[in-house]
mmCIF file with all atom_site columns, all heavy atoms in Angstrom:
data_model
loop_
_atom_site.group_PDB
_atom_site.id
_atom_site.type_symbol
_atom_site.label_atom_id
_atom_site.label_alt_id
_atom_site.label_comp_id
_atom_site.label_asym_id
_atom_site.label_entity_id
_atom_site.label_seq_id
_atom_site.pdbx_PDB_ins_code
_atom_site.Cartn_x
_atom_site.Cartn_y
_atom_site.Cartn_z
_atom_site.occupancy
_atom_site.B_iso_or_equiv
_atom_site.pdbx_formal_charge
_atom_site.auth_seq_id
_atom_site.auth_comp_id
_atom_site.auth_asym_id
_atom_site.auth_atom_id
_atom_site.pdbx_PDB_model_num
ATOM 1   N N   . ILE A 1 10 ? 31.622 19.679 -42.675 1.00 97.00 ? 10 ILE A N   1
ATOM 2   C CA  . ILE A 1 10 ? 31.535 20.736 -43.655 1.00 97.00 ? 10 ILE A CA  1
ATOM 3   C C   . ILE A 1 10 ? 30.040 20.987 -44.010 1.00 97.00 ? 10 ILE A C   1
ATOM 4   O O   . ILE A 1 10 ? 29.600 22.108 -44.054 1.00 97.00 ? 10 ILE A O   1
ATOM 5   C CB  . ILE A 1 10 ? 32.357 20.404 -44.927 1.00 97.00 ? 10 ILE A CB  1
ATOM 6   C CG1 . ILE A 1 10 ? 33.851 20.494 -44.575 1.00 97.00 ? 10 ILE A CG1 1
ATOM 7   C CG2 . ILE A 1 10 ? 32.028 21.385 -46.063 1.00 97.00 ? 10 ILE A CG2 1
ATOM 8   C CD1 . ILE A 1 10 ? 34.785 19.969 -45.672 1.00 97.00 ? 10 ILE A CD1 1
ATOM 9   N N   . LEU A 1 11 ? 29.300 19.903 -44.223 1.00 97.00 ? 11 LEU A N   1
ATOM 10  C CA  . LEU A 1 11 ? 27.874 20.047 -44.566 1.00 97.00 ? 11 LEU A CA  1
ATOM 11  C C   . LEU A 1 11 ? 27.117 20.626 -43.388 1.00 97.00 ? 11 LEU A C   1
ATOM 12  O O   . LEU A 1 11 ? 26.162 21.418 -43.591 1.00 97.00 ? 11 LEU A O   1
ATOM 13  C CB  . LEU A 1 11 ? 27.294 18.734 -45.020 1.00 97.00 ? 11 LEU A CB  1
ATOM 14  C CG  . LEU A 1 11 ? 27.849 18.196 -46.360 1.00 97.00 ? 11 LEU A CG  1
ATOM 15  C CD1 . LEU A 1 11 ? 27.225 16.854 -46.687 1.00 97.00 ? 11 LEU A CD1 1
ATOM 16  C CD2 . LEU A 1 11 ? 27.574 19.208 -47.497 1.00 97.00 ? 11 LEU A CD2 1
ATOM 17  N N   . ASP A 1 12 ? 27.447 20.230 -42.160 1.00 97.00 ? 12 ASP A N   1
ATOM 18  C CA  . ASP A 1 12 ? 26.785 20.785 -40.973 1.00 97.00 ? 12 ASP A CA  1
ATOM 19  C C   . ASP A 1 12 ? 27.029 22.279 -40.892 1.00 97.00 ? 12 ASP A C   1
ATOM 20  O O   . ASP A 1 12 ? 26.114 23.060 -40.632 1.00 97.00 ? 12 ASP A O   1
ATOM 21  C CB  . ASP A 1 12 ? 27.277 20.109 -39.687 1.00 97.00 ? 12 ASP A CB  1
ATOM 22  C CG  . ASP A 1 12 ? 26.684 18.717 -39.515 1.00 97.00 ? 12 ASP A CG  1
ATOM 23  O OD1 . ASP A 1 12 ? 25.759 18.351 -40.212 1.00 97.00 ? 12 ASP A OD1 1
ATOM 24  O OD2 . ASP A 1 12 ? 27.238 17.987 -38.627 1.00 97.00 ? 12 ASP A OD2 1
ATOM 25  N N   . LEU A 1 13 ? 28.259 22.712 -41.149 1.00 96.00 ? 13 LEU A N   1
ATOM 26  C CA  . LEU A 1 13 ? 28.602 24.133 -41.134 1.00 96.00 ? 13 LEU A CA  1
ATOM 27  C C   . LEU A 1 13 ? 27.840 24.884 -42.233 1.00 96.00 ? 13 LEU A C   1
ATOM 28  O O   . LEU A 1 13 ? 27.290 25.970 -42.007 1.00 96.00 ? 13 LEU A O   1
ATOM 29  C CB  . LEU A 1 13 ? 30.114 24.373 -41.340 1.00 96.00 ? 13 LEU A CB  1
ATOM 30  C CG  . LEU A 1 13 ? 31.004 24.254 -40.125 1.00 96.00 ? 13 LEU A CG  1
ATOM 31  C CD1 . LEU A 1 13 ? 32.461 24.313 -40.562 1.00 96.00 ? 13 LEU A CD1 1
ATOM 32  C CD2 . LEU A 1 13 ? 30.702 25.390 -39.166 1.00 96.00 ? 13 LEU A CD2 1
ATOM 33  N N   . PHE A 1 14 ? 27.786 24.263 -43.395 1.00 97.00 ? 14 PHE A N   1
ATOM 34  C CA  . PHE A 1 14 ? 27.073 24.872 -44.527 1.00 97.00 ? 14 PHE A CA  1
ATOM 35  C C   . PHE A 1 14 ? 25.611 25.076 -44.199 1.00 97.00 ? 14 PHE A C   1
ATOM 36  O O   . PHE A 1 14 ? 25.034 26.119 -44.452 1.00 97.00 ? 14 PHE A O   1
ATOM 37  C CB  . PHE A 1 14 ? 27.236 24.001 -45.763 1.00 97.00 ? 14 PHE A CB  1
ATOM 38  C CG  . PHE A 1 14 ? 26.502 24.523 -46.950 1.00 97.00 ? 14 PHE A CG  1
ATOM 39  C CD1 . PHE A 1 14 ? 26.923 25.618 -47.689 1.00 97.00 ? 14 PHE A CD1 1
ATOM 40  C CD2 . PHE A 1 14 ? 25.312 23.911 -47.373 1.00 97.00 ? 14 PHE A CD2 1
ATOM 41  C CE1 . PHE A 1 14 ? 26.252 26.108 -48.782 1.00 97.00 ? 14 PHE A CE1 1
ATOM 42  C CE2 . PHE A 1 14 ? 24.614 24.384 -48.464 1.00 97.00 ? 14 PHE A CE2 1
ATOM 43  C CZ  . PHE A 1 14 ? 25.077 25.487 -49.163 1.00 97.00 ? 14 PHE A CZ  1
ATOM 44  N N   . PHE A 1 15 ? 25.015 24.057 -43.623 1.00 97.00 ? 15 PHE A N   1
ATOM 45  C CA  . PHE A 1 15 ? 23.581 24.135 -43.234 1.00 97.00 ? 15 PHE A CA  1
ATOM 46  C C   . PHE A 1 15 ? 23.367 25.281 -42.227 1.00 97.00 ? 15 PHE A C   1
ATOM 47  O O   . PHE A 1 15 ? 22.471 26.104 -42.384 1.00 97.00 ? 15 PHE A O   1
ATOM 48  C CB  . PHE A 1 15 ? 23.156 22.783 -42.593 1.00 97.00 ? 15 PHE A CB  1
ATOM 49  C CG  . PHE A 1 15 ? 21.715 22.715 -42.234 1.00 97.00 ? 15 PHE A CG  1
ATOM 50  C CD1 . PHE A 1 15 ? 20.749 22.447 -43.193 1.00 97.00 ? 15 PHE A CD1 1
ATOM 51  C CD2 . PHE A 1 15 ? 21.284 22.884 -40.935 1.00 97.00 ? 15 PHE A CD2 1
ATOM 52  C CE1 . PHE A 1 15 ? 19.395 22.360 -42.899 1.00 97.00 ? 15 PHE A CE1 1
ATOM 53  C CE2 . PHE A 1 15 ? 19.935 22.834 -40.591 1.00 97.00 ? 15 PHE A CE2 1
ATOM 54  C CZ  . PHE A 1 15 ? 18.995 22.535 -41.558 1.00 97.00 ? 15 PHE A CZ  1
ATOM 55  N N   . ASP A 1 16 ? 24.261 25.379 -41.225 1.00 96.00 ? 16 ASP A N   1
ATOM 56  C CA  . ASP A 1 16 ? 24.128 26.466 -40.223 1.00 96.00 ? 16 ASP A CA  1
ATOM 57  C C   . ASP A 1 16 ? 24.357 27.837 -40.880 1.00 96.00 ? 16 ASP A C   1
ATOM 58  O O   . ASP A 1 16 ? 23.636 28.776 -40.606 1.00 96.00 ? 16 ASP A O   1
ATOM 59  C CB  . ASP A 1 16 ? 25.114 26.261 -39.092 1.00 96.00 ? 16 ASP A CB  1
ATOM 60  C CG  . ASP A 1 16 ? 24.746 25.094 -38.204 1.00 96.00 ? 16 ASP A CG  1
ATOM 61  O OD1 . ASP A 1 16 ? 23.579 24.651 -38.248 1.00 96.00 ? 16 ASP A OD1 1
ATOM 62  O OD2 . ASP A 1 16 ? 25.644 24.582 -37.491 1.00 96.00 ? 16 ASP A OD2 1
ATOM 63  N N   . HIS A 1 17 ? 25.405 27.968 -41.702 1.00 96.00 ? 17 HIS A N   1
ATOM 64  C CA  . HIS A 1 17 ? 25.754 29.249 -42.300 1.00 96.00 ? 17 HIS A CA  1
ATOM 65  C C   . HIS A 1 17 ? 24.719 29.735 -43.307 1.00 96.00 ? 17 HIS A C   1
ATOM 66  O O   . HIS A 1 17 ? 24.676 30.955 -43.586 1.00 96.00 ? 17 HIS A O   1
ATOM 67  C CB  . HIS A 1 17 ? 27.155 29.181 -42.943 1.00 96.00 ? 17 HIS A CB  1
ATOM 68  C CG  . HIS A 1 17 ? 28.289 29.282 -41.979 1.00 96.00 ? 17 HIS A CG  1
ATOM 69  N ND1 . HIS A 1 17 ? 28.373 28.552 -40.846 1.00 96.00 ? 17 HIS A ND1 1
ATOM 70  C CD2 . HIS A 1 17 ? 29.386 30.045 -41.997 1.00 96.00 ? 17 HIS A CD2 1
ATOM 71  C CE1 . HIS A 1 17 ? 29.470 28.851 -40.200 1.00 96.00 ? 17 HIS A CE1 1
ATOM 72  N NE2 . HIS A 1 17 ? 30.124 29.756 -40.889 1.00 96.00 ? 17 HIS A NE2 1
ATOM 73  N N   . THR A 1 18 ? 23.963 28.826 -43.894 1.00 97.00 ? 18 THR A N   1
ATOM 74  C CA  . THR A 1 18 ? 22.964 29.245 -44.852 1.00 97.00 ? 18 THR A CA  1
ATOM 75  C C   . THR A 1 18 ? 21.542 29.194 -44.292 1.00 97.00 ? 18 THR A C   1
ATOM 76  O O   . THR A 1 18 ? 20.554 29.187 -44.987 1.00 97.00 ? 18 THR A O   1
ATOM 77  C CB  . THR A 1 18 ? 23.012 28.361 -46.119 1.00 97.00 ? 18 THR A CB  1
ATOM 78  O OG1 . THR A 1 18 ? 22.820 26.977 -45.753 1.00 97.00 ? 18 THR A OG1 1
ATOM 79  C CG2 . THR A 1 18 ? 24.310 28.535 -46.851 1.00 97.00 ? 18 THR A CG2 1
ATOM 80  N N   . HIS A 1 19 ? 21.487 29.187 -42.942 1.00 96.00 ? 19 HIS A N   1
ATOM 81  C CA  . HIS A 1 19 ? 20.218 29.230 -42.201 1.00 96.00 ? 19 HIS A CA  1
ATOM 82  C C   . HIS A 1 19 ? 19.290 28.070 -42.605 1.00 96.00 ? 19 HIS A C   1
ATOM 83  O O   . HIS A 1 19 ? 18.129 28.271 -42.942 1.00 96.00 ? 19 HIS A O   1
ATOM 84  C CB  . HIS A 1 19 ? 19.519 30.597 -42.407 1.00 96.00 ? 19 HIS A CB  1
ATOM 85  C CG  . HIS A 1 19 ? 20.417 31.731 -42.001 1.00 96.00 ? 19 HIS A CG  1
ATOM 86  N ND1 . HIS A 1 19 ? 20.430 32.226 -40.712 1.00 96.00 ? 19 HIS A ND1 1
ATOM 87  C CD2 . HIS A 1 19 ? 21.327 32.414 -42.680 1.00 96.00 ? 19 HIS A CD2 1
ATOM 88  C CE1 . HIS A 1 19 ? 21.327 33.217 -40.640 1.00 96.00 ? 19 HIS A CE1 1
ATOM 89  N NE2 . HIS A 1 19 ? 21.880 33.341 -41.830 1.00 96.00 ? 19 HIS A NE2 1
ATOM 90  N N   . GLY A 1 20 ? 19.858 26.869 -42.578 1.00 95.00 ? 20 GLY A N   1
ATOM 91  C CA  . GLY A 1 20 ? 19.143 25.676 -43.028 1.00 95.00 ? 20 GLY A CA  1
ATOM 92  C C   . GLY A 1 20 ? 17.780 25.456 -42.403 1.00 95.00 ? 20 GLY A C   1
ATOM 93  O O   . GLY A 1 20 ? 16.886 24.930 -43.048 1.00 95.00 ? 20 GLY A O   1
ATOM 94  N N   . GLU A 1 21 ? 17.642 25.835 -41.180 1.00 94.00 ? 21 GLU A N   1
ATOM 95  C CA  . GLU A 1 21 ? 16.326 25.647 -40.489 1.00 94.00 ? 21 GLU A CA  1
ATOM 96  C C   . GLU A 1 21 ? 15.237 26.516 -41.116 1.00 94.00 ? 21 GLU A C   1
ATOM 97  O O   . GLU A 1 21 ? 14.053 26.301 -40.848 1.00 94.00 ? 21 GLU A O   1
ATOM 98  C CB  . GLU A 1 21 ? 16.462 25.824 -39.004 1.00 94.00 ? 21 GLU A CB  1
ATOM 99  C CG  . GLU A 1 21 ? 17.279 24.767 -38.364 1.00 94.00 ? 21 GLU A CG  1
ATOM 100 C CD  . GLU A 1 21 ? 17.367 24.863 -36.867 1.00 94.00 ? 21 GLU A CD  1
ATOM 101 O OE1 . GLU A 1 21 ? 16.650 25.661 -36.273 1.00 94.00 ? 21 GLU A OE1 1
ATOM 102 O OE2 . GLU A 1 21 ? 18.123 24.094 -36.278 1.00 94.00 ? 21 GLU A OE2 1
ATOM 103 N N   . GLU A 1 22 ? 15.665 27.510 -41.958 1.00 96.00 ? 22 GLU A N   1
ATOM 104 C CA  . GLU A 1 22 ? 14.701 28.404 -42.577 1.00 96.00 ? 22 GLU A CA  1
ATOM 105 C C   . GLU A 1 22 ? 14.586 28.139 -44.090 1.00 96.00 ? 22 GLU A C   1
ATOM 106 O O   . GLU A 1 22 ? 13.919 28.903 -44.806 1.00 96.00 ? 22 GLU A O   1
ATOM 107 C CB  . GLU A 1 22 ? 15.119 29.856 -42.354 1.00 96.00 ? 22 GLU A CB  1
ATOM 108 C CG  . GLU A 1 22 ? 15.113 30.197 -40.888 1.00 96.00 ? 22 GLU A CG  1
ATOM 109 C CD  . GLU A 1 22 ? 15.728 31.593 -40.639 1.00 96.00 ? 22 GLU A CD  1
ATOM 110 O OE1 . GLU A 1 22 ? 15.938 32.351 -41.608 1.00 96.00 ? 22 GLU A OE1 1
ATOM 111 O OE2 . GLU A 1 22 ? 16.031 31.910 -39.470 1.00 96.00 ? 22 GLU A OE2 1
ATOM 112 N N   . TRP A 1 23 ? 15.220 27.076 -44.590 1.00 96.00 ? 23 TRP A N   1
ATOM 113 C CA  . TRP A 1 23 ? 15.113 26.779 -46.010 1.00 96.00 ? 23 TRP A CA  1
ATOM 114 C C   . TRP A 1 23 ? 13.642 26.604 -46.370 1.00 96.00 ? 23 TRP A C   1
ATOM 115 O O   . TRP A 1 23 ? 12.839 26.129 -45.548 1.00 96.00 ? 23 TRP A O   1
ATOM 116 C CB  . TRP A 1 23 ? 15.869 25.500 -46.366 1.00 96.00 ? 23 TRP A CB  1
ATOM 117 C CG  . TRP A 1 23 ? 17.404 25.691 -46.312 1.00 96.00 ? 23 TRP A CG  1
ATOM 118 C CD1 . TRP A 1 23 ? 18.085 26.824 -46.036 1.00 96.00 ? 23 TRP A CD1 1
ATOM 119 C CD2 . TRP A 1 23 ? 18.370 24.692 -46.505 1.00 96.00 ? 23 TRP A CD2 1
ATOM 120 N NE1 . TRP A 1 23 ? 19.450 26.563 -46.058 1.00 96.00 ? 23 TRP A NE1 1
ATOM 121 C CE2 . TRP A 1 23 ? 19.644 25.265 -46.346 1.00 96.00 ? 23 TRP A CE2 1
ATOM 122 C CE3 . TRP A 1 23 ? 18.288 23.319 -46.819 1.00 96.00 ? 23 TRP A CE3 1
ATOM 123 C CZ2 . TRP A 1 23 ? 20.820 24.521 -46.477 1.00 96.00 ? 23 TRP A CZ2 1
ATOM 124 C CZ3 . TRP A 1 23 ? 19.444 22.621 -46.950 1.00 96.00 ? 23 TRP A CZ3 1
ATOM 125 C CH2 . TRP A 1 23 ? 20.707 23.222 -46.781 1.00 96.00 ? 23 TRP A CH2 1
ATOM 126 N N   . LEU A 1 24 ? 13.284 26.943 -47.602 1.00 95.00 ? 24 LEU A N   1
ATOM 127 C CA  . LEU A 1 24 ? 11.884 26.962 -48.004 1.00 95.00 ? 24 LEU A CA  1
ATOM 128 C C   . LEU A 1 24 ? 11.221 25.604 -48.057 1.00 95.00 ? 24 LEU A C   1
ATOM 129 O O   . LEU A 1 24 ? 9.982  25.510 -47.864 1.00 95.00 ? 24 LEU A O   1
ATOM 130 C CB  . LEU A 1 24 ? 11.762 27.644 -49.353 1.00 95.00 ? 24 LEU A CB  1
ATOM 131 C CG  . LEU A 1 24 ? 12.211 29.087 -49.399 1.00 95.00 ? 24 LEU A CG  1
ATOM 132 C CD1 . LEU A 1 24 ? 12.148 29.619 -50.833 1.00 95.00 ? 24 LEU A CD1 1
ATOM 133 C CD2 . LEU A 1 24 ? 11.409 29.933 -48.460 1.00 95.00 ? 24 LEU A CD2 1
#
Side-chain angles (χ1 to χ4, degrees):
I10 290 171
L11 292 177
D12 285 347
L13 276 173
F14 177 75
F15 185 80
D16 290 341
H17 280 49
T18 57
H19 304 270
E21 292 185 8
E22 298 171 13
W23 290 357
L24 298 176

